[in-house]
């Protein structure tokens, strides 16, 4: 598709190695995905890499640049058409590097930064304890066993650091102790303090009054004085850092404080994984019932799949005509799709106004909204310090995620971010330089959780064909919880495509399930939501259409309401997806389906929000949900719905409904229906081990849903 054609009547002129290709209205560029191959170690020869259409030759000018910090002031190292490689010297130690391909032209492209450069001696100090020959859990068990022995007489905890929250627990001689917020360690003027209640809870002893100080409006003890009095050695993650902030060397131990009889407790580089696991053990990976309550009450949310693929009207990521590294087969050997991967160069959604999106969401009865920040194609809808393939490289230029988050917060909805850990564009993904991808992965998630205020949901997708040994998921989840303690994480973050041979530990399974393009079964044990699409592409293999195409058909309102009713009575949520147009607007027909759902929901909201599925489940006539008061007494809502009834079992006309007596001792029944009769009393008669329910005179069963409120 992208072969260059040479004709005598048309000569393609190559200027400075640049060739522009027109494909319809899409403009592709002569090279894509520049990156640096090779280890950032002194003495190594780094090589420039970039892709050209179907292997066509191109000879762009390449500029090598270095800086003291990532994205810092650059110094040109070398430049030219023959600058294909660069050998690192001692002078490069501690520096960051990148390349610019086609520099000085309109099509120039920059690689990600790599670094900082380390020495061979520093490389030798790196000790990866996640051995590929063992299962991930075996490696974790070994780490925890070593920690238990090493810190058997130690006390350790974390304290708030910059944007990181301290842990809700401390460890004292291998015993985990919960820390109420009012007794947690804190900082004042750069020093770390612990209170008397903390001392009592952790050390079970008194400290001398002479070391007590006034800090943060209370009496407390500065941690170095505590260590001196208790004759313990003090180790602090804020001070014990690797000599350079190289991702493979630097432990994520900000705020970690260890008090131990042992000296030289950890070596920051060699014990990186041990240090990380020590901090990991202080955090709960699963959300508790209190944190989950809003999600289970919400029932209905907005899902948005959107990026430059909307310009091409191709399914996001999946219709990118390129290989999918370590993942499902694509039938393509090329690493990039020039048309797809260069679409961002003309992505300019001038009509994007997420406030209008949220207006639709609120009127539709949605309680939360989730946006794709990065899909499998690797494009980020936000500017990132860890990548150049982002919204910053588009004509639009403005941060889509920032505007979305602000609009969601202003609308009073809960905010969620979809983020794909699998990445078919990033050149380091699941390669021998995957550590660079991990730095990118951790870095981007950190950006998402620190720039946009409160984030309520992090919605991951599954990973490629890999082992959890390659991902360090415990440290990632802990890091997420440090940024956003109340955040919910879905079940796909650690789901690999065939790489894990053993079952996932419970604490890595996420907080809620996500059946895709199918309605979930009755499940009150684990929170869940069905992610469904309002758009379909007839005649294709897709189960739904996630991103925009003008050829899509819109699901009828009745179908959409069926999705919602089914999930309500089965104790789940509906996350309903729309793919905005390239201009940043909703398709009017699809938005109208949402709004029509909202008009319907307005009649039934009492029997939708803040309810739980059951106690009548999988009934031939429909199902039920309920609310319980503080004494546990239930108000039950029967959803008598032909939309979810078994075929041939739909109630019609004014046929009585019979339900089993489940011991709730109902004494009153009232009607909730989309039409006349709302609030009327329904005849409720006890007949043996069942109740007979008869509609008021002149009222018939609704074609969509009739709700009977039982008290």
């Amino acid at each position: 598709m992208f072969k260059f054609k040479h004709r005598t009547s048309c000569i393609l002129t190559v200027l400075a190695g640049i060739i522009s290709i027109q494909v319809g209205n899409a403009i592709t560029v002569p090279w894509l995905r520049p990156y640096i191959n090779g280890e950032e170690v002194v003495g190594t020869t780094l090589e420039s890499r970039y892709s050209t259409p179907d292997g066509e030759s191109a000879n762009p000018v390449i500029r090598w640049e270095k800086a003291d910090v990532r994205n810092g002031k650059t110094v040109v190292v070398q430049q030219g058409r023959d600058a294909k490689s660069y050998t690192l010297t001692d002078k490069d130690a501690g520096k960051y590097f990148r390349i610019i391909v086609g520099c000085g032209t309109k099509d120039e492209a920059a690689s990600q930064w790599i670094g900082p450069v380390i020495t061979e001696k520093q490389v030798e100090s790196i000790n990866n304890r996640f051995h590929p020959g063992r299962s991930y859990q075996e490696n974790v068990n070994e780490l925890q066993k070593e920690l238990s022995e090493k810190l058997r007489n130690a006390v350790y905890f974390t304290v708030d650091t910059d944007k990181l929250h301290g842990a809700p627990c401390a460890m004292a001689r291998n015993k985990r102790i919960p820390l109420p917020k009012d007794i947690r360690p804190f900082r004042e003027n750069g020093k770390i303090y612990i209170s008397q209640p903390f001392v009592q809870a952790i050390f079970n002893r008194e400290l001398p009054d002479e070391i007590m100080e006034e800090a943060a409006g209370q009496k407390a003890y500065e941690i170095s004085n505590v260590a001196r009095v208790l004759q313990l050695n003090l180790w602090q993650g804020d001070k014990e850092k690797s000599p350079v902030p190289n991702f493979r060397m630097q432990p994520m131990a900000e705020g970690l404080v260890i008090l131990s009889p042992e000296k030289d407790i950890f070596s920051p580089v060699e014990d990186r994984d041990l240090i990380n696991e020590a901090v990991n053990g202080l955090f709960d990976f699963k959300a508790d019932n209190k944190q989950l309550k809003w999600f289970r009450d919400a029932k209905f949310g907005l899902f948005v799949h959107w990026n430059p693929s909307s310009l091409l009207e191709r399914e996001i990521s999946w219709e990118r005509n390129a290989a999918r590294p370590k993942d499902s087969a694509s039938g393509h050997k090329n690493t990039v799709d020039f048309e797809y991967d260069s679409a961002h160069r003309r992505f300019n959604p001038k009509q994007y106004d997420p406030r209008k999106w949220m207006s639709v969401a609120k009127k539709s009865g949605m309680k939360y909204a989730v946006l794709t920040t990065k899909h499998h194609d690797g494009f980020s809808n936000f500017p990132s310090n860890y990548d150049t393939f982002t919204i910053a490289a588009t004509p639009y230029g403005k941060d889509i995620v920032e505007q979305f988050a602000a609009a969601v917060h202003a609308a009073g909805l809960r905010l969620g971010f979809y983020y794909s850990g699998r990445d078919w564009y990033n050149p380091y993904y699941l390669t021998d330089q995957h550590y660079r991808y991990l730095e990118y992965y951790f870095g981007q998630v950190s950006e998402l959780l620190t720039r946009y205020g409160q984030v309520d949901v992090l919605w991951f997708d599954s990973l490629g064909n890999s082992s959890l040994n390659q991902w360090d998921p415990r440290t990632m989840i802990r890091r997420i919880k440090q940024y956003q303690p109340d955040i919910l994480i879905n079940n796909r973050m650690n789901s690999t495509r065939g790489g894990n041979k053993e079952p996932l530990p419970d604490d890595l399974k996420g907080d809620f399930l996500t059946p895709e393009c199918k309605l979930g079964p009755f499940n009150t044990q684990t929170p869940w939501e069905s992610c469904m699409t309002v758009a379909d592409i007839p005649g294709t293999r897709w189960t739904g259409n996630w991103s925009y195409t003008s050829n899509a058909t819109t699901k009828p309102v009745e179908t959409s309401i069926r999705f919602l009713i089914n999930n309500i009575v089965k104790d789940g949520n509906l996350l309903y997806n729309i793919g905005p147009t390239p201009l940043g607007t909703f398709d009017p027909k699809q938005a109208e389906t949402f709004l029509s759902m909202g008009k319907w929901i307005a009649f039934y909201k009492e029997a939708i929000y803040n309810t739980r599925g059951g106690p009548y489940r999988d009934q031939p006539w429909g199902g039920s949900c309920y609310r319980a008061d503080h004494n546990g007494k239930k108000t039950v809502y029967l959803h008598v719905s032909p939309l979810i009834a078994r075929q041939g079992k739909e109630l019609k006309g004014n046929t009585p409904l019979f339900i089993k007596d489940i011991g709730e001792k109902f004494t009153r029944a009232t009607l909730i229906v989309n039409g006349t009769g709302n609030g009327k009393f329904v005849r409720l008669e006890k007949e043996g081990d069942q109740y007979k329910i008869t509609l008021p005179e002149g009222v018939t069963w609704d074609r969509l849903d009739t709700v009977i409120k039982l008290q």
Side-chain angles (χ1 to χ4, degrees):
M1 182 177 180
F2 299 104
K3 290 284 187 183
F4 295 108
K5 297 182 179 179
H6 300 270
R7 298 186 182 132
T8 55
S9 60
C10 180
I11 300 175
L12 294 178
T13 304
V14 180
L15 295 175
I18 301 173
I19 307 167
S20 293
I21 307 168
Q22 297 281 344
V23 182
N25 291 323
I27 301 175
T28 63
V29 294
W31 42 75
L32 283 175
R33 204 180 73 156
Y35 65 98
I36 298 173
N37 187 51
E39 300 288 321
E40 62 269 28
V41 180
V42 170
T44 300
T45 298
L46 301 175
E47 298 177 331
S48 63
R49 292 282 188 270
Y50 55 91
S51 297
T52 57
D54 283 351
E56 290 286 345
S57 61
N59 191 28
V61 172
I62 298 174
R63 181 167 70 237
W64 292 78
E65 298 180 340
K66 68 179 179 181
D68 292 333
V69 296
R70 187 188 308 274
N71 299 308
K73 184 178 180 181
T74 61
V75 174
V76 176
V77 175
Q78 65 178 17
Q79 178 172 305
R81 289 197 181 89
D82 58 350
K84 307 297 184 186
S85 62
Y86 177 77
T87 301
L88 295 167
T89 70
D90 291 336
K91 293 182 180 180
D92 297 321
K95 305 296 185 182
Y96 291 81
F97 276 79
R98 73 174 178 183
I99 55 172
I100 310 290
V101 176
C103 62
T105 72
K106 65 180 180 65
D107 292 320
E108 73 174 22
S111 72
Q112 300 174 30
W113 286 96
I114 67 167
V117 173
I118 56 181
T119 65
E120 289 187 1
K121 185 176 181 180
Q122 288 169 337
V123 172
E124 291 171 1
S125 67
I126 297 173
N127 183 12
N128 179 12
R129 295 171 186 262
F130 289 93
H131 303 297
R134 294 198 298 251
S135 73
Y136 173 74
Q137 192 57 46
E138 287 173 334
N139 285 321
V140 171
N141 292 343
E142 285 293 316
L143 279 174
Q144 293 176 341
K145 181 180 178 181
E146 187 174 346
L147 270 175
S148 179
E149 178 62 26
K150 195 175 187 70
L151 300 177
R152 66 187 183 280
N153 296 315
V155 166
Y156 56 100
F157 54 87
T158 67
V159 64
D160 290 358
T161 301
D162 191 20
K163 297 177 181 179
L164 298 173
H165 292 265
C169 299
M171 198 73 75
R173 295 163 291 280
N174 285 331
K175 183 180 178 182
R176 197 168 188 250
I177 301 174
L179 294 177
K181 286 186 178 180
D182 59 347
I183 73 165
R184 291 180 191 174
F186 60 92
R187 291 180 189 270
E188 177 85 352
N189 297 324
K191 296 180 179 180
I192 296 173
Y193 290 88
I194 57 176
S195 64
Q196 177 58 40
F198 177 91
V199 172
Q200 192 63 41
I202 302 302
F203 296 102
N204 193 28
R205 60 170 292 177
E206 299 290 330
L207 294 179
D209 290 342
E210 56 263 31
I211 68 167
M212 186 177 284
E213 303 178 33
E214 185 80 24
Q218 61 179 303
K219 300 294 185 181
Y221 307 97
E222 196 270 319
I223 197 65
S224 63
N225 290 330
V226 174
R228 176 176 52 80
V229 168
L230 296 179
Q231 296 184 322
L232 296 173
N233 294 289
L234 180 62
W235 191 98
Q236 293 181 252
D238 296 339
K239 297 180 179 179
E240 299 284 347
K241 299 181 179 181
S242 69
V244 291
N246 184 284
F247 181 79
R248 290 182 293 172
M249 300 173 66
Q250 181 64 56
M252 297 184 188
E254 300 95 324
L256 176 63
V257 176
I258 303 176
L259 295 164
S260 172
E262 307 297 327
K263 293 183 178 180
D264 302 321
I265 301 168
F266 287 124
S267 168
V269 179
E270 184 177 355
D271 295 326
R272 178 185 189 268
D273 294 330
L274 270 175
I275 297 168
N276 283 344
E277 183 53 35
V279 186
N280 296 345
L282 299 174
F283 286 82
D284 296 317
F285 290 178
K286 301 274 284 185
D288 60 29
N289 289 334
K290 184 179 179 181
Q291 292 168 318
L292 284 163
K293 184 180 183 302
W294 77 261
F295 178 81
R296 300 188 72 189
D297 288 347
K299 301 304 176 186
F300 193 22
L302 173 69
F303 210 1
V304 180
H305 275 67
W306 189 44
N307 75 6
S309 64
S310 60
L311 282 166
L312 308 175
E313 299 192 25
R314 291 205 232 164
E315 185 61 281
I316 192 168
S317 297
W318 290 96
E319 289 187 335
R320 176 178 179 262
N321 296 322
R324 300 169 188 155
K326 302 290 184 179
D327 214 315
S328 53
S330 67
H332 298 277
K333 294 182 179 180
N334 49 305
T335 58
V336 298
D337 175 341
F338 268 76
E339 183 183 23
Y340 188 103
D341 294 340
S342 62
H344 70 286
R345 291 182 177 244
R346 55 190 184 91
F347 186 52
N348 194 10
K350 294 181 178 180
Q351 295 180 30
Y352 172 52
D353 185 350
R355 294 171 299 180
K356 293 181 179 179
W357 293 7
M358 292 311 108
S359 176
V360 171
K362 288 197 72 171
K363 291 176 182 177
S364 302
M366 296 166 172
K367 300 297 185 181
Y368 60 110
V370 181
L371 173 71
T372 46
T373 60
K374 181 183 82 85
H375 211 266
H376 317 327
D377 57 19
F379 180 83
S380 299
N381 276 325
F382 59 100
S384 174
N385 290 328
Y386 296 88
D387 202 5
T388 57
F389 191 42
T390 76
I391 194 66
T394 68
Y396 184 68
K398 292 177 284 188
D399 189 339
I400 283 173
V401 176
E402 179 182 43
Q403 296 173 74
F404 182 87
V408 172
H409 289 143
L413 304 182
R414 296 278 186 163
L415 174 65
F417 291 150
Y418 169 106
Y419 184 89
S420 175
R422 91 219 268 192
D423 194 314
W424 300 330
Y425 185 84
N426 191 293
Y428 304 122
Y429 172 68
L430 293 177
T431 66
D432 59 355
Q433 293 166 58
H434 182 66
Y435 66 87
R436 285 203 192 117
Y437 183 77
L438 279 186
E439 181 180 31
Y440 161 87
Y441 177 46
F442 274 77
Q444 285 209 321
V445 170
S446 296
E447 290 172 331
L448 288 172
L449 298 182
T450 57
R451 292 178 176 177
Y452 308 113
Q454 181 176 325
V455 182
D456 301 290
V457 172
L458 201 47
W459 214 105
F460 286 99
D461 225 327
S462 61
L463 302 170
N465 188 6
S466 57
S467 163
L468 288 183
N469 283 326
Q470 298 167 270
W471 291 94
D472 198 4
R474 288 176 59 80
T475 302
M476 172 60 98
I477 295 176
R478 176 261 292 181
R479 198 61 151 177
I480 291 168
K481 296 288 186 176
Q482 282 184 296
Y483 286 128
Q484 302 272 352
D486 294 321
I487 201 167
L488 305 183
I489 304 171
N490 74 331
N491 63 316
R492 302 190 189 192
M493 174 184 165
N494 300 312
S495 175
T496 61
R497 301 178 67 89
N500 294 311
K501 305 305 180 186
E502 74 282 354
L504 271 179
D506 284 343
D507 60 358
L508 297 186
K509 289 182 178 179
D511 298 315
F512 61 95
L513 306 177
T514 54
E516 181 172 331
C517 288
K518 60 184 177 183
L519 301 177
F522 189 92
N523 181 357
T524 59
Q525 300 304 306
T526 306
W528 60 275
E529 67 181 7
S530 292
C531 51
M532 311 287 283
T533 66
V534 72
D536 280 318
I537 301 293
T540 70
R541 64 185 179 87
W542 302 112
T543 51
N545 196 70
W546 295 98
S547 55
Y548 173 76
T549 173
S550 57
N551 297 325
T553 60
T554 303
K555 287 186 173 72
V557 175
E558 293 78 7
T559 300
S560 304
I561 292 172
R562 175 172 66 86
F563 294 166
L564 186 59
I565 296 173
N566 176 89
N567 290 13
I568 290 165
V569 301
K570 294 181 179 178
D571 207 40
N573 291 6
L574 173 63
L575 185 63
Y576 215 12
N577 180 80
I578 190 170
T581 70
L583 287 175
T585 59
F586 283 172
D587 178 280
K589 290 183 179 179
Q590 295 171 19
E592 184 54 40
T593 288
F594 289 167
L595 293 169
S596 296
M597 291 179 73
K599 292 174 183 177
W600 177 87
I601 287 170
F603 289 98
Y604 297 94
K605 56 187 177 183
E606 177 187 349
I608 295 174
Y609 305 117
N610 310 318
T611 63
R612 299 293 178 265
Y616 296 98
R617 52 180 288 185
D618 299 325
Q619 298 295 306
W621 42 264
S624 77
C625 59
Y626 70 91
R627 296 169 183 248
D629 64 18
H630 62 280
N631 294 318
K633 189 171 181 60
K634 293 177 181 175
T635 297
V636 175
Y637 301 91
L638 307 178
H639 285 264
V640 183
S641 173
L643 298 176
I644 63 169
R646 295 178 199 164
Q647 190 170 3
K649 301 294 183 179
E650 307 92 338
L651 288 184
K652 299 178 181 179
N654 58 2
T655 305
L657 168 65
F658 293 88
I659 61 172
K660 287 185 179 180
D661 178 3
I662 57 174
E664 294 292 337
K665 296 182 180 180
F666 300 122
T667 60
R668 184 172 66 172
T670 51
L671 183 69
I672 302 174
V673 66
N674 185 3
T676 58
N678 229 20
K680 287 187 176 181
F681 283 101
V682 175
R683 184 183 299 172
L684 181 68
E685 302 171 280
K686 185 75 184 305
E687 295 187 357
D689 64 349
Q690 62 182 358
Y691 287 98
K692 178 182 179 182
I693 297 172
T694 306
L695 291 174
E697 186 175 346
V699 177
T700 58
W701 298 108
D702 189 79
R703 68 183 185 89
L704 300 180
D705 193 18
T706 305
V707 174
I708 306 296
K709 179 180 179 180
L710 298 177
Q711 295 170 288

